[in-house]
mmCIF file with all atom_site columns, all heavy atoms in Angstrom:
data_model
loop_
_atom_site.group_PDB
_atom_site.id
_atom_site.type_symbol
_atom_site.label_atom_id
_atom_site.label_alt_id
_atom_site.label_comp_id
_atom_site.label_asym_id
_atom_site.label_entity_id
_atom_site.label_seq_id
_atom_site.pdbx_PDB_ins_code
_atom_site.Cartn_x
_atom_site.Cartn_y
_atom_site.Cartn_z
_atom_site.occupancy
_atom_site.B_iso_or_equiv
_atom_site.pdbx_formal_charge
_atom_site.auth_seq_id
_atom_site.auth_comp_id
_atom_site.auth_asym_id
_atom_site.auth_atom_id
_atom_site.pdbx_PDB_model_num
ATOM 1   N N   . SER A 1 1  ? -15.416 -1.867 -9.040  1.00 91.00 ? 153 SER A N   1
ATOM 2   C CA  . SER A 1 1  ? -14.565 -2.808 -9.909  1.00 91.00 ? 153 SER A CA  1
ATOM 3   C C   . SER A 1 1  ? -14.058 -2.060 -11.239 1.00 91.00 ? 153 SER A C   1
ATOM 4   O O   . SER A 1 1  ? -13.005 -2.328 -11.618 1.00 91.00 ? 153 SER A O   1
ATOM 5   C CB  . SER A 1 1  ? -15.411 -4.069 -10.298 1.00 91.00 ? 153 SER A CB  1
ATOM 6   O OG  . SER A 1 1  ? -16.481 -3.829 -11.024 1.00 91.00 ? 153 SER A OG  1
ATOM 7   N N   . GLN A 1 2  ? -14.903 -1.366 -11.856 1.00 93.00 ? 154 GLN A N   1
ATOM 8   C CA  . GLN A 1 2  ? -14.456 -0.692 -13.048 1.00 93.00 ? 154 GLN A CA  1
ATOM 9   C C   . GLN A 1 2  ? -13.322 0.323  -12.942 1.00 93.00 ? 154 GLN A C   1
ATOM 10  O O   . GLN A 1 2  ? -12.403 0.411  -13.664 1.00 93.00 ? 154 GLN A O   1
ATOM 11  C CB  . GLN A 1 2  ? -15.720 0.036  -13.788 1.00 93.00 ? 154 GLN A CB  1
ATOM 12  C CG  . GLN A 1 2  ? -15.247 0.522  -15.193 1.00 93.00 ? 154 GLN A CG  1
ATOM 13  C CD  . GLN A 1 2  ? -14.899 -0.571 -16.084 1.00 93.00 ? 154 GLN A CD  1
ATOM 14  O OE1 . GLN A 1 2  ? -15.461 -1.617 -16.246 1.00 93.00 ? 154 GLN A OE1 1
ATOM 15  N NE2 . GLN A 1 2  ? -13.745 -0.439 -16.768 1.00 93.00 ? 154 GLN A NE2 1
ATOM 16  N N   . GLU A 1 3  ? -13.381 1.043  -11.682 1.00 93.00 ? 155 GLU A N   1
ATOM 17  C CA  . GLU A 1 3  ? -12.235 1.861  -11.424 1.00 93.00 ? 155 GLU A CA  1
ATOM 18  C C   . GLU A 1 3  ? -11.037 1.229  -11.198 1.00 93.00 ? 155 GLU A C   1
ATOM 19  O O   . GLU A 1 3  ? -9.929  1.592  -11.618 1.00 93.00 ? 155 GLU A O   1
ATOM 20  C CB  . GLU A 1 3  ? -12.630 2.790  -10.121 1.00 93.00 ? 155 GLU A CB  1
ATOM 21  C CG  . GLU A 1 3  ? -13.617 3.900  -10.488 1.00 93.00 ? 155 GLU A CG  1
ATOM 22  C CD  . GLU A 1 3  ? -14.935 3.468  -9.996  1.00 93.00 ? 155 GLU A CD  1
ATOM 23  O OE1 . GLU A 1 3  ? -15.232 2.271  -9.784  1.00 93.00 ? 155 GLU A OE1 1
ATOM 24  O OE2 . GLU A 1 3  ? -15.913 4.354  -9.994  1.00 93.00 ? 155 GLU A OE2 1
ATOM 25  N N   . ALA A 1 4  ? -11.204 -0.001 -10.507 1.00 90.00 ? 156 ALA A N   1
ATOM 26  C CA  . ALA A 1 4  ? -10.008 -0.888 -10.308 1.00 90.00 ? 156 ALA A CA  1
ATOM 27  C C   . ALA A 1 4  ? -9.425  -1.404 -11.481 1.00 90.00 ? 156 ALA A C   1
ATOM 28  O O   . ALA A 1 4  ? -8.140  -1.281 -11.886 1.00 90.00 ? 156 ALA A O   1
ATOM 29  C CB  . ALA A 1 4  ? -10.345 -2.011 -9.452  1.00 90.00 ? 156 ALA A CB  1
ATOM 30  N N   . LYS A 1 5  ? -10.313 -1.829 -12.508 1.00 92.00 ? 157 LYS A N   1
ATOM 31  C CA  . LYS A 1 5  ? -9.929  -2.301 -13.725 1.00 92.00 ? 157 LYS A CA  1
ATOM 32  C C   . LYS A 1 5  ? -9.189  -1.248 -14.616 1.00 92.00 ? 157 LYS A C   1
ATOM 33  O O   . LYS A 1 5  ? -8.154  -1.465 -15.234 1.00 92.00 ? 157 LYS A O   1
ATOM 34  C CB  . LYS A 1 5  ? -11.080 -2.909 -14.621 1.00 92.00 ? 157 LYS A CB  1
ATOM 35  C CG  . LYS A 1 5  ? -11.538 -4.189 -14.133 1.00 92.00 ? 157 LYS A CG  1
ATOM 36  C CD  . LYS A 1 5  ? -12.810 -4.643 -14.862 1.00 92.00 ? 157 LYS A CD  1
ATOM 37  C CE  . LYS A 1 5  ? -13.459 -5.863 -14.254 1.00 92.00 ? 157 LYS A CE  1
ATOM 38  N NZ  . LYS A 1 5  ? -14.725 -6.227 -15.003 1.00 92.00 ? 157 LYS A NZ  1
ATOM 39  N N   . ASP A 1 6  ? -9.751  0.002  -14.477 1.00 92.00 ? 158 ASP A N   1
ATOM 40  C CA  . ASP A 1 6  ? -9.138  1.103  -15.267 1.00 92.00 ? 158 ASP A CA  1
ATOM 41  C C   . ASP A 1 6  ? -7.782  1.455  -14.720 1.00 92.00 ? 158 ASP A C   1
ATOM 42  O O   . ASP A 1 6  ? -6.807  1.791  -15.440 1.00 92.00 ? 158 ASP A O   1
ATOM 43  C CB  . ASP A 1 6  ? -10.096 2.320  -15.222 1.00 92.00 ? 158 ASP A CB  1
ATOM 44  C CG  . ASP A 1 6  ? -11.246 2.195  -16.005 1.00 92.00 ? 158 ASP A CG  1
ATOM 45  O OD1 . ASP A 1 6  ? -11.471 1.337  -16.818 1.00 92.00 ? 158 ASP A OD1 1
ATOM 46  O OD2 . ASP A 1 6  ? -12.259 3.003  -15.690 1.00 92.00 ? 158 ASP A OD2 1
ATOM 47  N N   . ALA A 1 7  ? -7.637  1.285  -13.392 1.00 90.00 ? 159 ALA A N   1
ATOM 48  C CA  . ALA A 1 7  ? -6.291  1.580  -12.756 1.00 90.00 ? 159 ALA A CA  1
ATOM 49  C C   . ALA A 1 7  ? -5.267  0.505  -13.150 1.00 90.00 ? 159 ALA A C   1
ATOM 50  O O   . ALA A 1 7  ? -4.115  1.014  -13.515 1.00 90.00 ? 159 ALA A O   1
ATOM 51  C CB  . ALA A 1 7  ? -6.516  1.724  -11.202 1.00 90.00 ? 159 ALA A CB  1
ATOM 52  N N   . ILE A 1 8  ? -5.710  -0.549 -13.160 1.00 91.00 ? 160 ILE A N   1
ATOM 53  C CA  . ILE A 1 8  ? -4.766  -1.676 -13.585 1.00 91.00 ? 160 ILE A CA  1
ATOM 54  C C   . ILE A 1 8  ? -4.389  -1.469 -15.111 1.00 91.00 ? 160 ILE A C   1
ATOM 55  O O   . ILE A 1 8  ? -3.207  -1.620 -15.482 1.00 91.00 ? 160 ILE A O   1
ATOM 56  C CB  . ILE A 1 8  ? -5.463  -3.068 -13.381 1.00 91.00 ? 160 ILE A CB  1
ATOM 57  C CG1 . ILE A 1 8  ? -5.561  -3.330 -11.885 1.00 91.00 ? 160 ILE A CG1 1
ATOM 58  C CG2 . ILE A 1 8  ? -4.599  -4.160 -14.050 1.00 91.00 ? 160 ILE A CG2 1
ATOM 59  C CD1 . ILE A 1 8  ? -6.450  -4.493 -11.470 1.00 91.00 ? 160 ILE A CD1 1
ATOM 60  N N   . GLN A 1 9  ? -5.327  -1.162 -15.927 1.00 94.00 ? 161 GLN A N   1
ATOM 61  C CA  . GLN A 1 9  ? -5.130  -0.980 -17.352 1.00 94.00 ? 161 GLN A CA  1
ATOM 62  C C   . GLN A 1 9  ? -3.953  0.146  -17.509 1.00 94.00 ? 161 GLN A C   1
ATOM 63  O O   . GLN A 1 9  ? -3.197  0.136  -18.301 1.00 94.00 ? 161 GLN A O   1
ATOM 64  C CB  . GLN A 1 9  ? -6.404  -0.618 -18.085 1.00 94.00 ? 161 GLN A CB  1
ATOM 65  C CG  . GLN A 1 9  ? -6.206  -0.179 -19.453 1.00 94.00 ? 161 GLN A CG  1
ATOM 66  C CD  . GLN A 1 9  ? -6.240  -1.216 -20.558 1.00 94.00 ? 161 GLN A CD  1
ATOM 67  O OE1 . GLN A 1 9  ? -6.692  -2.381 -20.222 1.00 94.00 ? 161 GLN A OE1 1
ATOM 68  N NE2 . GLN A 1 9  ? -5.967  -0.912 -21.760 1.00 94.00 ? 161 GLN A NE2 1
ATOM 69  N N   . GLN A 1 10 ? -4.304  1.281  -16.856 1.00 94.00 ? 162 GLN A N   1
ATOM 70  C CA  . GLN A 1 10 ? -3.460  2.517  -17.011 1.00 94.00 ? 162 GLN A CA  1
ATOM 71  C C   . GLN A 1 10 ? -2.019  2.117  -16.466 1.00 94.00 ? 162 GLN A C   1
ATOM 72  O O   . GLN A 1 10 ? -1.106  2.500  -17.032 1.00 94.00 ? 162 GLN A O   1
ATOM 73  C CB  . GLN A 1 10 ? -3.950  3.711  -16.162 1.00 94.00 ? 162 GLN A CB  1
ATOM 74  C CG  . GLN A 1 10 ? -5.221  4.200  -16.950 1.00 94.00 ? 162 GLN A CG  1
ATOM 75  C CD  . GLN A 1 10 ? -5.864  5.276  -15.996 1.00 94.00 ? 162 GLN A CD  1
ATOM 76  O OE1 . GLN A 1 10 ? -5.482  5.524  -14.844 1.00 94.00 ? 162 GLN A OE1 1
ATOM 77  N NE2 . GLN A 1 10 ? -7.004  5.842  -16.513 1.00 94.00 ? 162 GLN A NE2 1
ATOM 78  N N   . ALA A 1 11 ? -1.937  1.418  -15.394 1.00 93.00 ? 163 ALA A N   1
ATOM 79  C CA  . ALA A 1 11 ? -0.570  1.059  -14.882 1.00 93.00 ? 163 ALA A CA  1
ATOM 80  C C   . ALA A 1 11 ? 0.175   0.064  -15.777 1.00 93.00 ? 163 ALA A C   1
ATOM 81  O O   . ALA A 1 11 ? 1.273   0.213  -16.006 1.00 93.00 ? 163 ALA A O   1
ATOM 82  C CB  . ALA A 1 11 ? -0.756  0.551  -13.484 1.00 93.00 ? 163 ALA A CB  1
ATOM 83  N N   . THR A 1 12 ? -0.629  -0.793 -16.505 1.00 95.00 ? 164 THR A N   1
ATOM 84  C CA  . THR A 1 12 ? 0.017   -1.802 -17.243 1.00 95.00 ? 164 THR A CA  1
ATOM 85  C C   . THR A 1 12 ? 0.591   -1.016 -18.537 1.00 95.00 ? 164 THR A C   1
ATOM 86  O O   . THR A 1 12 ? 1.586   -1.330 -18.986 1.00 95.00 ? 164 THR A O   1
ATOM 87  C CB  . THR A 1 12 ? -1.088  -2.879 -17.716 1.00 95.00 ? 164 THR A CB  1
ATOM 88  O OG1 . THR A 1 12 ? -1.424  -3.530 -16.546 1.00 95.00 ? 164 THR A OG1 1
ATOM 89  C CG2 . THR A 1 12 ? -0.386  -3.884 -18.584 1.00 95.00 ? 164 THR A CG2 1
ATOM 90  N N   . VAL A 1 13 ? -0.257  -0.158 -19.047 1.00 97.00 ? 165 VAL A N   1
ATOM 91  C CA  . VAL A 1 13 ? 0.177   0.568  -20.290 1.00 97.00 ? 165 VAL A CA  1
ATOM 92  C C   . VAL A 1 13 ? 1.358   1.431  -19.988 1.00 97.00 ? 165 VAL A C   1
ATOM 93  O O   . VAL A 1 13 ? 2.402   1.389  -20.740 1.00 97.00 ? 165 VAL A O   1
ATOM 94  C CB  . VAL A 1 13 ? -0.925  1.431  -20.840 1.00 97.00 ? 165 VAL A CB  1
ATOM 95  C CG1 . VAL A 1 13 ? -0.576  2.506  -21.853 1.00 97.00 ? 165 VAL A CG1 1
ATOM 96  C CG2 . VAL A 1 13 ? -2.135  0.647  -21.407 1.00 97.00 ? 165 VAL A CG2 1
ATOM 97  N N   . ARG A 1 14 ? 1.360   1.988  -18.831 1.00 96.00 ? 166 ARG A N   1
ATOM 98  C CA  . ARG A 1 14 ? 2.583   2.959  -18.422 1.00 96.00 ? 166 ARG A CA  1
ATOM 99  C C   . ARG A 1 14 ? 3.761   1.981  -18.344 1.00 96.00 ? 166 ARG A C   1
ATOM 100 O O   . ARG A 1 14 ? 4.843   2.259  -18.824 1.00 96.00 ? 166 ARG A O   1
ATOM 101 C CB  . ARG A 1 14 ? 2.250   3.544  -17.094 1.00 96.00 ? 166 ARG A CB  1
ATOM 102 C CG  . ARG A 1 14 ? 3.413   4.428  -16.567 1.00 96.00 ? 166 ARG A CG  1
ATOM 103 C CD  . ARG A 1 14 ? 3.121   5.016  -15.245 1.00 96.00 ? 166 ARG A CD  1
ATOM 104 N NE  . ARG A 1 14 ? 4.421   5.435  -14.604 1.00 96.00 ? 166 ARG A NE  1
ATOM 105 C CZ  . ARG A 1 14 ? 4.461   5.741  -13.377 1.00 96.00 ? 166 ARG A CZ  1
ATOM 106 N NH1 . ARG A 1 14 ? 3.456   5.491  -12.562 1.00 96.00 ? 166 ARG A NH1 1
ATOM 107 N NH2 . ARG A 1 14 ? 5.639   5.981  -12.897 1.00 96.00 ? 166 ARG A NH2 1
ATOM 108 N N   . TRP A 1 15 ? 3.555   0.873  -17.850 1.00 96.00 ? 167 TRP A N   1
ATOM 109 C CA  . TRP A 1 15 ? 4.735   -0.153 -17.486 1.00 96.00 ? 167 TRP A CA  1
ATOM 110 C C   . TRP A 1 15 ? 5.317   -0.631 -18.890 1.00 96.00 ? 167 TRP A C   1
ATOM 111 O O   . TRP A 1 15 ? 6.384   -0.601 -19.091 1.00 96.00 ? 167 TRP A O   1
ATOM 112 C CB  . TRP A 1 15 ? 4.328   -1.335 -16.685 1.00 96.00 ? 167 TRP A CB  1
ATOM 113 C CG  . TRP A 1 15 ? 5.350   -2.365 -16.537 1.00 96.00 ? 167 TRP A CG  1
ATOM 114 C CD1 . TRP A 1 15 ? 6.509   -2.268 -15.950 1.00 96.00 ? 167 TRP A CD1 1
ATOM 115 C CD2 . TRP A 1 15 ? 5.298   -3.600 -17.211 1.00 96.00 ? 167 TRP A CD2 1
ATOM 116 N NE1 . TRP A 1 15 ? 7.263   -3.588 -16.164 1.00 96.00 ? 167 TRP A NE1 1
ATOM 117 C CE2 . TRP A 1 15 ? 6.423   -4.376 -16.889 1.00 96.00 ? 167 TRP A CE2 1
ATOM 118 C CE3 . TRP A 1 15 ? 4.392   -4.234 -17.981 1.00 96.00 ? 167 TRP A CE3 1
ATOM 119 C CZ2 . TRP A 1 15 ? 6.694   -5.643 -17.242 1.00 96.00 ? 167 TRP A CZ2 1
ATOM 120 C CZ3 . TRP A 1 15 ? 4.553   -5.568 -18.353 1.00 96.00 ? 167 TRP A CZ3 1
ATOM 121 C CH2 . TRP A 1 15 ? 5.698   -6.270 -18.141 1.00 96.00 ? 167 TRP A CH2 1
ATOM 122 N N   . LEU A 1 16 ? 4.235   -0.906 -19.843 1.00 98.00 ? 168 LEU A N   1
ATOM 123 C CA  . LEU A 1 16 ? 4.722   -1.340 -21.148 1.00 98.00 ? 168 LEU A CA  1
ATOM 124 C C   . LEU A 1 16 ? 5.514   -0.347 -21.815 1.00 98.00 ? 168 LEU A C   1
ATOM 125 O O   . LEU A 1 16 ? 6.565   -0.603 -22.429 1.00 98.00 ? 168 LEU A O   1
ATOM 126 C CB  . LEU A 1 16 ? 3.493   -1.859 -21.998 1.00 98.00 ? 168 LEU A CB  1
ATOM 127 C CG  . LEU A 1 16 ? 2.849   -3.146 -21.570 1.00 98.00 ? 168 LEU A CG  1
ATOM 128 C CD1 . LEU A 1 16 ? 1.479   -3.354 -22.282 1.00 98.00 ? 168 LEU A CD1 1
ATOM 129 C CD2 . LEU A 1 16 ? 3.795   -4.317 -21.889 1.00 98.00 ? 168 LEU A CD2 1
ATOM 130 N N   . PHE A 1 17 ? 5.095   0.920  -21.857 1.00 98.00 ? 169 PHE A N   1
ATOM 131 C CA  . PHE A 1 17 ? 5.816   1.960  -22.471 1.00 98.00 ? 169 PHE A CA  1
ATOM 132 C C   . PHE A 1 17 ? 7.272   2.096  -21.926 1.00 98.00 ? 169 PHE A C   1
ATOM 133 O O   . PHE A 1 17 ? 8.231   2.232  -22.673 1.00 98.00 ? 169 PHE A O   1
ATOM 134 C CB  . PHE A 1 17 ? 5.020   3.315  -22.431 1.00 98.00 ? 169 PHE A CB  1
ATOM 135 C CG  . PHE A 1 17 ? 4.106   3.458  -23.581 1.00 98.00 ? 169 PHE A CG  1
ATOM 136 C CD1 . PHE A 1 17 ? 2.759   3.375  -23.321 1.00 98.00 ? 169 PHE A CD1 1
ATOM 137 C CD2 . PHE A 1 17 ? 4.463   3.872  -24.907 1.00 98.00 ? 169 PHE A CD2 1
ATOM 138 C CE1 . PHE A 1 17 ? 1.796   3.571  -24.378 1.00 98.00 ? 169 PHE A CE1 1
ATOM 139 C CE2 . PHE A 1 17 ? 3.603   4.088  -25.821 1.00 98.00 ? 169 PHE A CE2 1
ATOM 140 C CZ  . PHE A 1 17 ? 2.284   3.920  -25.622 1.00 98.00 ? 169 PHE A CZ  1
ATOM 141 N N   . GLU A 1 18 ? 7.330   2.147  -20.573 1.00 97.00 ? 170 GLU A N   1
ATOM 142 C CA  . GLU A 1 18 ? 8.519   2.360  -19.880 1.00 97.00 ? 170 GLU A CA  1
ATOM 143 C C   . GLU A 1 18 ? 9.464   1.168  -20.160 1.00 97.00 ? 170 GLU A C   1
ATOM 144 O O   . GLU A 1 18 ? 10.618  1.242  -20.390 1.00 97.00 ? 170 GLU A O   1
ATOM 145 C CB  . GLU A 1 18 ? 8.375   2.630  -18.440 1.00 97.00 ? 170 GLU A CB  1
ATOM 146 C CG  . GLU A 1 18 ? 7.800   3.977  -18.412 1.00 97.00 ? 170 GLU A CG  1
ATOM 147 C CD  . GLU A 1 18 ? 7.718   4.576  -16.828 1.00 97.00 ? 170 GLU A CD  1
ATOM 148 O OE1 . GLU A 1 18 ? 8.592   4.184  -16.088 1.00 97.00 ? 170 GLU A OE1 1
ATOM 149 O OE2 . GLU A 1 18 ? 6.828   5.323  -16.700 1.00 97.00 ? 170 GLU A OE2 1
ATOM 150 N N   . ALA A 1 19 ? 8.914   -0.056 -20.089 1.00 98.00 ? 171 ALA A N   1
ATOM 151 C CA  . ALA A 1 19 ? 9.782   -1.253 -20.464 1.00 98.00 ? 171 ALA A CA  1
ATOM 152 C C   . ALA A 1 19 ? 10.212  -1.247 -21.828 1.00 98.00 ? 171 ALA A C   1
ATOM 153 O O   . ALA A 1 19 ? 11.438  -1.626 -22.188 1.00 98.00 ? 171 ALA A O   1
ATOM 154 C CB  . ALA A 1 19 ? 8.870   -2.528 -20.061 1.00 98.00 ? 171 ALA A CB  1
ATOM 155 N N   . CYS A 1 20 ? 9.395   -0.899 -22.801 1.00 98.00 ? 172 CYS A N   1
ATOM 156 C CA  . CYS A 1 20 ? 9.829   -0.966 -24.121 1.00 98.00 ? 172 CYS A CA  1
ATOM 157 C C   . CYS A 1 20 ? 10.901  0.085  -24.412 1.00 98.00 ? 172 CYS A C   1
ATOM 158 O O   . CYS A 1 20 ? 11.843  -0.120 -25.150 1.00 98.00 ? 172 CYS A O   1
ATOM 159 C CB  . CYS A 1 20 ? 8.671   -0.539 -25.050 1.00 98.00 ? 172 CYS A CB  1
ATOM 160 S SG  . CYS A 1 20 ? 7.486   -1.995 -25.381 1.00 98.00 ? 172 CYS A SG  1
ATOM 161 N N   . ILE A 1 21 ? 10.892  1.240  -23.803 1.00 98.00 ? 173 ILE A N   1
ATOM 162 C CA  . ILE A 1 21 ? 11.862  2.315  -23.942 1.00 98.00 ? 173 ILE A CA  1
ATOM 163 C C   . ILE A 1 21 ? 13.222  1.737  -23.449 1.00 98.00 ? 173 ILE A C   1
ATOM 164 O O   . ILE A 1 21 ? 14.190  1.933  -23.933 1.00 98.00 ? 173 ILE A O   1
ATOM 165 C CB  . ILE A 1 21 ? 11.460  3.537  -23.216 1.00 98.00 ? 173 ILE A CB  1
ATOM 166 C CG1 . ILE A 1 21 ? 10.335  4.221  -23.984 1.00 98.00 ? 173 ILE A CG1 1
ATOM 167 C CG2 . ILE A 1 21 ? 12.564  4.550  -22.932 1.00 98.00 ? 173 ILE A CG2 1
ATOM 168 C CD1 . ILE A 1 21 ? 9.541   5.310  -23.216 1.00 98.00 ? 173 ILE A CD1 1
ATOM 169 N N   . LEU A 1 22 ? 13.169  1.037  -22.287 1.00 98.00 ? 174 LEU A N   1
ATOM 170 C CA  . LEU A 1 22 ? 14.307  0.314  -21.746 1.00 98.00 ? 174 LEU A CA  1
ATOM 171 C C   . LEU A 1 22 ? 15.083  -0.616 -22.710 1.00 98.00 ? 174 LEU A C   1
ATOM 172 O O   . LEU A 1 22 ? 16.183  -0.539 -23.021 1.00 98.00 ? 174 LEU A O   1
ATOM 173 C CB  . LEU A 1 22 ? 14.059  -0.413 -20.442 1.00 98.00 ? 174 LEU A CB  1
ATOM 174 C CG  . LEU A 1 22 ? 13.928  0.498  -19.193 1.00 98.00 ? 174 LEU A CG  1
ATOM 175 C CD1 . LEU A 1 22 ? 13.389  -0.345 -18.006 1.00 98.00 ? 174 LEU A CD1 1
ATOM 176 C CD2 . LEU A 1 22 ? 15.196  1.310  -18.860 1.00 98.00 ? 174 LEU A CD2 1
ATOM 177 N N   . VAL A 1 23 ? 14.127  -1.586 -23.285 1.00 98.00 ? 175 VAL A N   1
ATOM 178 C CA  . VAL A 1 23 ? 14.670  -2.481 -24.111 1.00 98.00 ? 175 VAL A CA  1
ATOM 179 C C   . VAL A 1 23 ? 15.174  -1.877 -25.556 1.00 98.00 ? 175 VAL A C   1
ATOM 180 O O   . VAL A 1 23 ? 16.300  -2.189 -25.986 1.00 98.00 ? 175 VAL A O   1
ATOM 181 C CB  . VAL A 1 23 ? 13.648  -3.466 -24.405 1.00 98.00 ? 175 VAL A CB  1
ATOM 182 C CG1 . VAL A 1 23 ? 14.045  -4.487 -25.585 1.00 98.00 ? 175 VAL A CG1 1
ATOM 183 C CG2 . VAL A 1 23 ? 13.246  -4.280 -23.220 1.00 98.00 ? 175 VAL A CG2 1
ATOM 184 N N   . GLN A 1 24 ? 14.425  -0.855 -25.974 1.00 98.00 ? 176 GLN A N   1
ATOM 185 C CA  . GLN A 1 24 ? 14.842  -0.237 -27.193 1.00 98.00 ? 176 GLN A CA  1
ATOM 186 C C   . GLN A 1 24 ? 16.162  0.543  -26.993 1.00 98.00 ? 176 GLN A C   1
ATOM 187 O O   . GLN A 1 24 ? 17.018  0.403  -27.929 1.00 98.00 ? 176 GLN A O   1
ATOM 188 C CB  . GLN A 1 24 ? 13.853  1.007  -27.489 1.00 98.00 ? 176 GLN A CB  1
ATOM 189 C CG  . GLN A 1 24 ? 14.309  1.765  -28.783 1.00 98.00 ? 176 GLN A CG  1
ATOM 190 C CD  . GLN A 1 24 ? 13.499  3.029  -28.863 1.00 98.00 ? 176 GLN A CD  1
ATOM 191 O OE1 . GLN A 1 24 ? 13.099  3.592  -27.800 1.00 98.00 ? 176 GLN A OE1 1
ATOM 192 N NE2 . GLN A 1 24 ? 13.357  3.594  -30.114 1.00 98.00 ? 176 GLN A NE2 1
ATOM 193 N N   . GLY A 1 25 ? 16.415  1.214  -25.862 1.00 97.00 ? 177 GLY A N   1
ATOM 194 C CA  . GLY A 1 25 ? 17.618  1.893  -25.663 1.00 97.00 ? 177 GLY A CA  1
ATOM 195 C C   . GLY A 1 25 ? 18.778  0.851  -25.590 1.00 97.00 ? 177 GLY A C   1
ATOM 196 O O   . GLY A 1 25 ? 19.911  1.153  -26.284 1.00 97.00 ? 177 GLY A O   1
ATOM 197 N N   . GLN A 1 26 ? 18.684  -0.213 -24.927 1.00 98.00 ? 178 GLN A N   1
ATOM 198 C CA  . GLN A 1 26 ? 19.697  -1.237 -24.838 1.00 98.00 ? 178 GLN A CA  1
ATOM 199 C C   . GLN A 1 26 ? 19.919  -1.947 -26.238 1.00 98.00 ? 178 GLN A C   1
ATOM 200 O O   . GLN A 1 26 ? 21.032  -2.164 -26.539 1.00 98.00 ? 178 GLN A O   1
ATOM 201 C CB  . GLN A 1 26 ? 19.347  -2.279 -23.796 1.00 98.00 ? 178 GLN A CB  1
ATOM 202 C CG  . GLN A 1 26 ? 20.468  -3.217 -23.522 1.00 98.00 ? 178 GLN A CG  1
ATOM 203 C CD  . GLN A 1 26 ? 21.596  -2.573 -22.809 1.00 98.00 ? 178 GLN A CD  1
ATOM 204 O OE1 . GLN A 1 26 ? 21.493  -1.631 -22.114 1.00 98.00 ? 178 GLN A OE1 1
ATOM 205 N NE2 . GLN A 1 26 ? 22.764  -3.075 -23.070 1.00 98.00 ? 178 GLN A NE2 1
ATOM 206 N N   . ALA A 1 27 ? 18.953  -2.146 -26.984 1.00 97.00 ? 179 ALA A N   1
ATOM 207 C CA  . ALA A 1 27 ? 19.079  -2.788 -28.322 1.00 97.00 ? 179 ALA A CA  1
ATOM 208 C C   . ALA A 1 27 ? 19.858  -1.898 -29.295 1.00 97.00 ? 179 ALA A C   1
ATOM 209 O O   . ALA A 1 27 ? 20.713  -2.305 -29.949 1.00 97.00 ? 179 ALA A O   1
ATOM 210 C CB  . ALA A 1 27 ? 17.641  -3.091 -28.894 1.00 97.00 ? 179 ALA A CB  1
ATOM 211 N N   . ILE A 1 28 ? 19.637  -0.585 -29.204 1.00 96.00 ? 180 ILE A N   1
ATOM 212 C CA  . ILE A 1 28 ? 20.257  0.360  -29.963 1.00 96.00 ? 180 ILE A CA  1
ATOM 213 C C   . ILE A 1 28 ? 21.747  0.370  -29.617 1.00 96.00 ? 180 ILE A C   1
ATOM 214 O O   . ILE A 1 28 ? 22.705  0.457  -30.494 1.00 96.00 ? 180 ILE A O   1
ATOM 215 C CB  . ILE A 1 28 ? 19.725  1.836  -29.797 1.00 96.00 ? 180 ILE A CB  1
ATOM 216 C CG1 . ILE A 1 28 ? 18.425  1.869  -30.523 1.00 96.00 ? 180 ILE A CG1 1
ATOM 217 C CG2 . ILE A 1 28 ? 20.700  2.843  -30.328 1.00 96.00 ? 180 ILE A CG2 1
ATOM 218 C CD1 . ILE A 1 28 ? 17.571  3.135  -30.222 1.00 96.00 ? 180 ILE A CD1 1
#
């Protein structure tokens, strides 16, 4: 379960960074 939680955490962080970069670029 901890490995699964860690994988979900890492995927979520990656998604947040990439999503923010998309929104930032469009806002600019």
Side-chain angles (χ1 to χ4, degrees):
S153 61
Q154 190 57 50
E155 289 96 349
K157 288 177 186 178
D158 291 345
I160 292 168
Q161 171 91 9
Q162 290 171 358
T164 303
V165 168
R166 178 178 162 206
W167 173 71
L168 285 169
F169 272 104
E170 292 188 27
C172 285
I173 290 168
L174 284 172
V175 175
Q176 176 200 27
Q178 189 64 32
I180 289 169

